[in-house]
Amino acid sequence: MTLFRTNNIINKTILITLLILGISNIANSKETSYDYLDVSIIRYDLKSITHNSHYDGYLLSASKSMNENVYLLGEYIDLEREGGYGVDFKSLGIGVHYPIAKNSDIIAKYVHNKYGQTFSSGLLNSSSKGIYNAIELGIRHQFSNDLELNTELSRYDFTGDSMFYKGISIGAIYKLNNDISVKLEALRATGSPSNSADWNGREVGIRYYF
């Protein structure tokens, strides 16, 4: 997918989100919470001109409010694919949120990530490590008491490399009760000119509020 087509998708997504914010007039929606734990199953598909790779794994993440508008983030991801390849991600970050409508928050996040890659096949074993930083800007909208819709734009820059990704995600949180929700999310990221690979991500999980 070209960068031009990706920008079109981003623009359309922002427009759709703003339309949702404009037409939604659901009364008595509850305040958006930033104190939660997520446990999810994830799948990432990495695609380039020469090859396609599929990674499956799990995600553990937590968010904790520090005051009315600031919260801390932590995340761990473990992924594997056929052939003895594995990769894990550990991240810490800080976010800010601010209400822009009765049921909507705009959010901004900075996240520092460390990742490790491993390969094991017979007597051959290898590993490598790296760092990247992410900046994310998004909207969380309480469509009703039970349903939250969200979208984010993101950029991932790799330390010591000209490689970066630009991405967009769309998600939904459906509340089962006061403590437990079901989480769904889809992500699309496009690589920089120095990296021809694009990747898609899908996440299904449970969110616990505390």
Side-chain angles (χ1 to χ4, degrees), residues 172-188:
I173 308 290
Y174 184 78
K175 185 171 290 187
L176 301 177
N177 56 45
N178 288 334
D179 299 322
I180 304 294
S181 295
V182 175
K183 178 185 181 184
L184 303 173
E185 186 173 297
L187 171 67
R188 168 73 179 178

Side-chain angles (χ1 to χ4, degrees), residues 53-56 78-88 116-128:
S53 302
H54 308 289
Y55 291 83
D56 295 290
D78 186 274
L79 297 168
E80 294 181 353
R81 74 175 175 91
E82 293 183 359
Y85 292 91
V87 59
D88 64 83
Q117 301 181 86
T118 59
F119 172 73
S120 179
S121 179
L123 298 177
L124 180 61
N125 296 281
S126 63
S127 64
S128 62

Side-chain angles (χ1 to χ4, degrees), residues 44-47 132 156 165 187-191 195 197-201:
Y44 288 158
D45 298 319
L46 186 67
K47 299 180 180 181
Y132 70 92
Y156 313 89
Y165 282 94
L187 171 67
R188 168 73 179 178
T190 302
N195 175 32
D198 299 338
W199 55 279
N200 300 315

Side-chain angles (χ1 to χ4, degrees), residues 32-125:
T32 302
S33 174
Y34 291 84
D35 296 313
Y36 57 80
L37 300 172
D38 286 348
V39 180
S40 302
I41 297 171
I42 54 177
R43 179 180 178 90
Y44 288 158
D45 298 319
L46 186 67
K47 299 180 180 181
S48 70
I49 298 176
T50 58
H51 70 279
N52 296 333
S53 302
H54 308 289
Y55 291 83
D56 295 290
Y58 64 90
L59 174 152
L60 304 173
S61 65
S63 172
K64 175 61 180 174
S65 296
M66 301 304 294
N67 58 39
E68 184 178 353
N69 297 108
V70 179
Y71 59 104
L72 297 181
L73 303 158
E75 187 174 86
Y76 176 77
I77 296 176
D78 186 274
L79 297 168
E80 294 181 353
R81 74 175 175 91
E82 293 183 359
Y85 292 91
V87 59
D88 64 83
F89 301 86
K90 303 181 181 95
S91 64
L92 290 173
I94 186 168
V96 294
H97 61 90
Y98 188 81
I100 55 173
K102 180 179 179 181
N103 304 319
S104 305
D105 284 0
I106 187 169
I107 59 174
K109 296 184 286 186
Y110 171 81
V111 184
H112 179 72
N113 301 267
K114 294 183 178 181
Y115 66 92
Q117 301 181 86
T118 59
F119 172 73
S120 179
S121 179
L123 298 177
L124 180 61
N125 296 281

